[in-house]
């Protein structure tokens, strides 16, 4: 084996130094004092009726008189965990001997430990193989029994002192109290801030910190953003040379508001200017900044056969090694919200013409690429390389490689990664048309110009990049737009299993939090995310799990349909993809009755979309008529009873799949709009409802609304609250109407194409003021009962603004 290129930014010098010091103390039979950062002291207060000084003296006596072995023996005798780093064992033992042995975690039965960073007692156990325990308290449960002292401790010089605390009836109670946000910090100020330096000095001191005029030994330097543009003073240069955090004034404001010191790296203003600058991890950035970085980032691996771009082997003709039907390319994800971990790993064997086999390995925290561990090695012996690949797979996952790759057999192990099962294709974010190709592709397209421009949107990378960015499912390292059906099915099963669990669980408080944390860790391990979060309620479950799954599923369909369009665009790839769609798309004449009807329907049933305090109106740009082989034709749908023309909201990223394969029912049943009626296709008579889904973002004002004919059937069930049993509705495939707080004026409704009702009327308050739905929703359970007729291209504009042409002087 030859190491061709190695890069590891996971610095461990501090840990190595600790280990060296520890060896010295072990030889002397004593543990070192807990190390503290010179920049923020780890202070701890005990609200135990004047025992603070007594506890300090007690701790000093234990430290001076008990050896490492005795400390471990005390912990083991009292049923405590001794697997923690040895630096913390002394503190655990001192706490036990003074306040009593900690009881087991009430959530998972694991061992409790004191986390000095968080000023809380936390659990070191696991809720499941996916998630570490989330139990946390300032007043931990203690065993109501005498402390057990081993013989070696009973014979020590402090045995009489320890015996005083054996009886649980005489023990003081320990509670950790929170420090002020800047406790132990030294902060330096520079430049013209929004408030005077004296104002901030008073604020910082009030909240536990101190202010220094120099940068020597400070926690951070707070500057005005203008200092960056001006290049800063010698003070700024000195701070950068010393590697000190340089942050914006917002760090002070947010830390005081939240009563907790916020992560310095999230407020950094100069790291990209520093020679050693490593950038800011995505999860520490402001979401808008992360979005910009995400959209500009290049997808590094497009699918199962994609050579990871950082290897630079593709430039030399590199391809994924394949033998006996196996592709040696694996991607892994690990999200453990109990421990705050969100990591990825890449393993590849790559063949290069006239070269040895190359093994690439990369592992790191999501969004923190500069600090990832990375290595590229050449192997002369192919069999040895394969063995090493299998060994690494087992080390990373706790499972064997071949059973996974051939049969997808795998068992998640605690603290181990789980494979992201990539499909053999090209993620649409890589294979679709890039910005530079769009104009050329549409110019050489033989389709009608409006249709060509519409296809250009659906076959361009942008809408898919934005969709995954908005969902936080856009790490550049893994192809979330090219997953196998097996992986998507696994995601669906995890979601459905959790939804069923929520229906029967009666847990509250931290037990309920544990259930949500476990699911969230499972979900974001399977749906690899830049910003995993602990979901808390049905609305979050709908937005970040159910809707996200449906979008990823539809984007994967788009990836397979679009394929690889990275080559020459002169051969009319848009017409080729149009033919693959198996449909006919035509622009509707703006003078036609259909066009006028649609504009009226939208304008009458629309209410401005609100983003923060700004409202956005919608205007029709174009209307496209659709006929697809996968969708019932108008003639077919007209044979069915009780037909209504309704609005359907959809992300632009999902449209290609809708046209190609028709609507799919919602993935699950949740008591929130869109999912309230179970696994149904849901539409509305209000364009305002559909616009919420079609609206993209302020800086991307174009979107699409779908108009479809739905046959509700002869028997329509009406609801003003979520039905208790949606499975019966699904099985009987009855039509459903959810009555909202607003309805369309029935006197204004009219018929279209003889017998299709158009519920076009101004929105008025209904008699159902307590309904969870704002607008009426209609649900059908059989895709054959819906027929997409029109795609309405709309433009969102800020309400009250108008474009004024200025005459040249």
């Amino acid at each position: 084996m030859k190491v061709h290129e190695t890069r590891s930014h996971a610095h461990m010098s501090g840990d190595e130094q600790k280990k060296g010091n520890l060896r010295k103390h072990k030889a002397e039979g004593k543990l070192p004092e807990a190390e503290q950062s010179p920049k923020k002291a780890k202070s701890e207060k005990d609200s135990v009726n004047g025992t603070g000084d007594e506890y300090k003296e007690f701790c000093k006596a234990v430290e001076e008189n008990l050896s490492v072995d005795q400390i471990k023996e005390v912990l083991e005798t009292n049923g405590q965990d001794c697997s923690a780093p040895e630096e913390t064992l002394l503190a655990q033992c001192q706490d036990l001997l003074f306040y009593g042995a900690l009881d087991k975690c009430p959530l998972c039965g694991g061992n409790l430990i004191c986390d000095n960073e968080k000023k809380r007692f936390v659990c070191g156990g696991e809720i499941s193989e996916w998630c570490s325990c989330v139990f946390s308290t300032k007043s931990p449960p203690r065993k109501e029994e005498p402390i057990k002292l081993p013989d070696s401790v009973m014979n020590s010089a402090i045995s009489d002192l320890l015996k005083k605390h054996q009886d649980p009836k005489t023990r003081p109670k320990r509670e950790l109290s929170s420090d002020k946000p800047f406790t132990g910090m030294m902060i330096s100020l520079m430049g013209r801030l929004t408030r005077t330096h004296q104002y901030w000095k008073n604020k910082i001191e009030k909240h536990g910190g101190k202010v220094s005029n120099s940068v020597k030994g400070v926690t951070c330097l707070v500057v005005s953003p203008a200092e960056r543009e001006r290049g800063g003073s010698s003070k700024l240069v000195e701070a950068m040379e010393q590697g000190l955090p340089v942050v914006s004034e917002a760090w002070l404001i947010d830390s005081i508001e939240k009563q907790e010191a916020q992560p310095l790296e999230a407020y950094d203003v100069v790291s990209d200017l520093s020679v050693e600058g490593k950038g800011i991890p995505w999860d520490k950035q402001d979401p808008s900044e992360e979005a910009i970085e995400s959209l500009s980032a290049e997808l590094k691996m497009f699918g199962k056969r994609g050579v990871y771009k950082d290897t630079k082997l593709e430039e030399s003709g590199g391809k994924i090694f394949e033998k006996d039907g196996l592709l040696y390319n694996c991607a892994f994800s690990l999200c453990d919200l109990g421990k705050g971990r969100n990591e990825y790993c890449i393993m590849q064997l790559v063949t290069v013409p006239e070269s040895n086999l190359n093994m690439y390995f990369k592992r790191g925290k999501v969004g923190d690429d500069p600090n990832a561990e990375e290595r590229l090695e050449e192997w002369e012996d192919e069999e040895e390389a394969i063995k090493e690949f299998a060994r690494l797979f087992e080390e990373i996952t706790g499972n064997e490689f071949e059973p996974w790759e051939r049969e997808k057999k795998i068992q998640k192990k605690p603290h181990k990664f789980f494979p992201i099962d990539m499909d053999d294709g090209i993620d649409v974010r890589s294979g679709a048309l890039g910005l530079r190709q769009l104009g050329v592709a549409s110019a050489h397209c033989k389709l009608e110009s409006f249709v060509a421009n519409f296809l250009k949107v659906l076959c361009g990378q942008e809408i898919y990049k934005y969709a995954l960015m908005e969902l936080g499912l856009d790490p550049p390292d893994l192809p979330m737009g090219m997953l196998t059906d097996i992986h998507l099915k696994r995601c669906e099963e995890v979601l459905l299993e959790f939804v069923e669990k929520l229906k029967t669980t009666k847990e509250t408080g931290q037990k309920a939090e544990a259930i949500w944390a476990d699911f969230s860790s499972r979900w974001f391990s399977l749906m690899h995310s830049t910003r995993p979060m602990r979901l808390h309620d049905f609305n979050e479950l709908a937005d970040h799990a159910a809707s996200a799954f449906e979008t990823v599923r539809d984007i994967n369909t788009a990836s397979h349909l679009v394929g690889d369009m990275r080559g020459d665009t002169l051969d009319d790839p848009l017409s080729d993809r149009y033919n693959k769609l198996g449909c006919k798309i035509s622009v509707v004449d703006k003078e036609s009755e259909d066009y006028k009807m649609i504009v009226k329907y939208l304008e009458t049933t629309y209410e401005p979309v609100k983003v923060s305090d700004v409202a956005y109106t919608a205007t029709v740009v174009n209307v496209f008529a659709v006929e697809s082989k996968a969708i019932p034709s108008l003639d077919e749908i007209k044979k069915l009873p009780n037909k209504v023309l309704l609005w359907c909201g959809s992300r632009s990223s999902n449209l290609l799949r809708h046209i190609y394969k028709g609507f799919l029912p919602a993935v699950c049943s949740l008591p929130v709009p869109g999912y309230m009626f179970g696994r149904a296709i849901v539409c509305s008579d209000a364009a305002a409802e559909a616009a919420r889904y079609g609206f993209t973002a302020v800086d991307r004002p174009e979107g699409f609304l779908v108009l479809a004919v739905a046959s509700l059937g002869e028997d329509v069930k009406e609801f003003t609250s979520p039905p208790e049993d949606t499975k019966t509705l699904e099985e009987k495939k009855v039509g459903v109407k959810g009555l909202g707080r607003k309805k369309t004026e029935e006197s204004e409704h009219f018929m279209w194409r003889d017998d299709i009702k158009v519920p076009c009327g101004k929105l008025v308050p209904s008699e159902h003021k307590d309904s969870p739905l704002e607008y009426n929703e209609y649900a059908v359970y059989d895709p054959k009962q819906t027929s997409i007729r029109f795609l309405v291209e709309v433009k969102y504009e800020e309400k009250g603004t108008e474009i004024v042409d200025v005459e040249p002087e």
Side-chain angles (χ1 to χ4, degrees), residues 498-519:
F498 181 63
V499 169
E500 287 302 311
K501 187 173 185 178
L502 287 178
K503 291 179 180 178
T504 57
T505 186
K506 296 180 181 178
E507 302 292 359
T508 58
Q510 289 209 34
K511 289 186 177 181
E513 284 291 311
I515 293 172
W516 282 95
D518 181 41
F519 167 75

Side-chain angles (χ1 to χ4, degrees), residues 84 91 100 103 135 176 190 211 268 280 287 303 364 418 421 499 520-521 523 587 665 705 721-722 770-771 776:
D103 211 340
F135 180 76
L176 299 183
M190 191 191 84
V211 174
D268 179 279
I280 307 170
F418 196 83
D421 195 14
V499 169
S520 302
S521 294
W523 185 255
V587 65
L705 306 181
S721 61
D770 297 326
S771 172
N776 293 337

Side-chain angles (χ1 to χ4, degrees), residues 728-745:
T728 301
L729 298 174
E730 294 168 17
E731 291 168 359
K732 293 184 177 180
K733 292 182 168 50
V734 298
V736 170
K737 183 177 181 180
L739 302 174
R741 298 187 299 276
K742 296 177 184 178
K743 64 180 181 179
T744 58
E745 182 60 62

Side-chain angles (χ1 to χ4, degrees), residues 88 454 537 572:
T88 66
F454 173 65
D537 56 43
D572 197 3

Side-chain angles (χ1 to χ4, degrees), residues 429-445:
R429 292 174 294 159
S430 178
L433 294 171
L435 288 174
R436 295 181 180 179
Q437 296 174 292
L438 294 174
V440 178
S442 59
H444 289 86
C445 183

Side-chain angles (χ1 to χ4, degrees), residues 387-503:
K387 287 180 182 178
E388 176 62 10
F389 188 93
R391 186 196 69 78
L392 277 173
F393 184 95
E394 188 164 353
E395 179 183 303
I396 290 293
T397 67
N399 290 261
E400 294 181 3
F401 171 65
E402 282 212 25
W404 156 254
E405 200 61 40
R406 292 193 186 281
E407 304 172 50
K408 304 305 176 187
K409 288 183 179 179
I410 195 160
Q411 176 64 47
K412 176 70 171 69
K413 300 295 176 67
H415 312 299
K416 296 288 187 179
F417 284 82
F418 196 83
I420 298 293
D421 195 14
M422 301 176 288
D423 209 354
D424 190 357
I426 298 179
D427 189 312
V428 71
R429 292 174 294 159
S430 178
L433 294 171
L435 288 174
R436 295 181 180 179
Q437 296 174 292
L438 294 174
V440 178
S442 59
H444 289 86
C445 183
K446 298 181 181 66
L447 298 171
E448 198 270 332
S449 61
F450 284 106
V451 178
N453 284 323
F454 173 65
L455 260 292
K456 181 179 71 174
V457 174
L458 299 190
C459 293
Q461 297 176 8
E462 187 178 27
I463 59 173
Y464 305 104
K465 282 187 172 184
Y466 271 110
L468 291 177
M469 177 272 292
E470 289 163 355
L471 294 169
L473 300 174
D474 58 334
D477 304 282
L478 303 186
M480 296 305 292
M482 184 46 63
L483 305 175
T484 64
D485 290 340
I486 293 174
H487 191 85
L488 291 172
K489 186 65 177 175
R490 180 177 278 121
C491 293
E492 183 178 356
E493 288 170 352
V494 167
L495 175 59
L496 293 176
E497 178 186 326
F498 181 63
V499 169
E500 287 302 311
K501 187 173 185 178
L502 287 178
K503 291 179 180 178

Side-chain angles (χ1 to χ4, degrees), residues 623-643:
V623 176
F624 299 94
V626 178
E627 291 288 348
S628 172
K629 294 178 182 177
I631 300 169
S633 68
L634 186 60
D635 289 339
E636 290 171 324
I637 207 79
K638 286 194 72 172
K639 297 175 183 177
L640 302 178
N642 201 359
K643 299 172 289 295

Side-chain angles (χ1 to χ4, degrees), residues 603-618:
E603 291 176 348
T604 307
T605 64
Y606 181 80
E607 290 182 328
V609 174
K610 290 204 74 174
V611 179
S612 297
D613 295 326
V614 182
Y616 291 87
T617 60

